[in-house]
Amino acid sequence: MFIIGYDNPSAANVRLNPNESYFNPHEKLLIEEACRQTADVSRRVIQGITVGGLNNIISARIVEWFGSSSFRDVVECAKKMDAFIQGGGKVTFVDRRHKVERLINDPHNPALDQIVPMTECDYAYVKNLPDYKASGIAHVGSGMRLYLGERFFHPSKTTIDRTATIYHELAHKILALQDIAYNAGRCRQLAKAQPSQALKNPDNWCLFATSFIHNWP
């Protein structure tokens, strides 16, 4: 599985960012539990689509979340996800609860940057490389940072919710995707109406992967 890291309160961080917050031991346990389950569902996906031939259950899952998309495309993307998740890369988790984030729309024109607050409704986000849409590369090879919001830790959320969040954010980075639709209902509609777009949507990917252990309403 990938290496789990945290943005820890070093002396330099505390001096430069005295109002920063950091995960407590219980929150780290929740993150690590979700990471282990992320590795488990990714392994199940690969086993389901590559071992012993495609069965009716797996075929139905693919149709549910990706419509008539090419099976080869689904396999290729799933293997990319699993290669990182099971490999030796590193994911550093950063506490961004009650913070603001600067979104860079054009690295050559700071005037177009957006300042976006993290609210109680936000689960997480990542930062893709500026030219990821053109290059297809959204992160540097050495690892990635995953920023968690308040909703990730809300008492109503379970391990499967947090697992889906992590897989969703990793899909942004590994597959160089941007958000098109959210939640199971809209993602199923996207799969039916625009299969090629469903294949490019992180929520379709996380719902597909976690459907190997969970039935989404």
Side-chain angles (χ1 to χ4, degrees), residues 94-101 115-125 147-151:
V94 183
D95 188 350
R96 297 306 290 169
R97 290 171 288 185
H98 312 295
K99 303 295 192 302
V100 297
E101 183 59 61
I115 304 298
V116 180
M118 288 288 281
T119 72
E120 67 274 6
C121 297
D122 291 312
Y123 286 90
Y125 68 93
Y147 302 83
L148 298 181
E150 188 174 346
R151 193 71 174 168

Side-chain angles (χ1 to χ4, degrees), residues 9-22 99:
S10 66
N13 279 346
V14 171
R15 184 175 66 255
L16 295 172
N17 304 290
N19 296 320
E20 281 294 284
S21 57
Y22 301 92
K99 303 295 192 302

Side-chain angles (χ1 to χ4, degrees), residues 80-81 84-85 136 138-139 144 169-176:
K80 285 182 181 179
M81 291 291 293
F84 179 87
I85 291 170
H139 70 99
M144 58 186 71
E169 299 304 332
L170 293 180
H172 274 297
K173 301 289 279 185
I174 297 165
L175 303 180

Side-chain angles (χ1 to χ4, degrees), residues 196-208:
S196 63
Q197 293 297 97
L199 199 63
K200 299 176 183 177
N201 187 44
D203 235 33
N204 282 73
W205 274 104
C206 75
L207 292 166
F208 169 66

Side-chain angles (χ1 to χ4, degrees), residues 64-90:
E64 181 178 13
W65 301 112
F66 302 115
S68 59
S69 294
S70 162
F71 175 64
R72 175 184 288 183
D73 290 341
V74 173
V75 172
E76 181 181 349
C77 291
K79 285 183 174 180
K80 285 182 181 179
M81 291 291 293
D82 194 64
F84 179 87
I85 291 170
Q86 310 300 349
K90 183 176 183 179

Side-chain angles (χ1 to χ4, degrees), residues 147-205:
Y147 302 83
L148 298 181
E150 188 174 346
R151 193 71 174 168
F152 186 89
F153 299 103
H154 193 275
S156 68
K157 299 305 166 186
T158 64
T159 301
I160 194 65
D161 295 312
R162 289 184 281 271
T163 297
T165 296
I166 292 173
Y167 198 98
H168 173 117
E169 299 304 332
L170 293 180
H172 274 297
K173 301 289 279 185
I174 297 165
L175 303 180
L177 305 180
Q178 61 182 332
D179 292 313
I180 300 171
Y182 294 102
N183 77 47
R186 291 178 181 174
C187 288
R188 288 188 180 101
Q189 291 175 0
L190 185 66
K192 290 180 181 179
Q194 297 177 285
S196 63
Q197 293 297 97
L199 199 63
K200 299 176 183 177
N201 187 44
D203 235 33
N204 282 73
W205 274 104

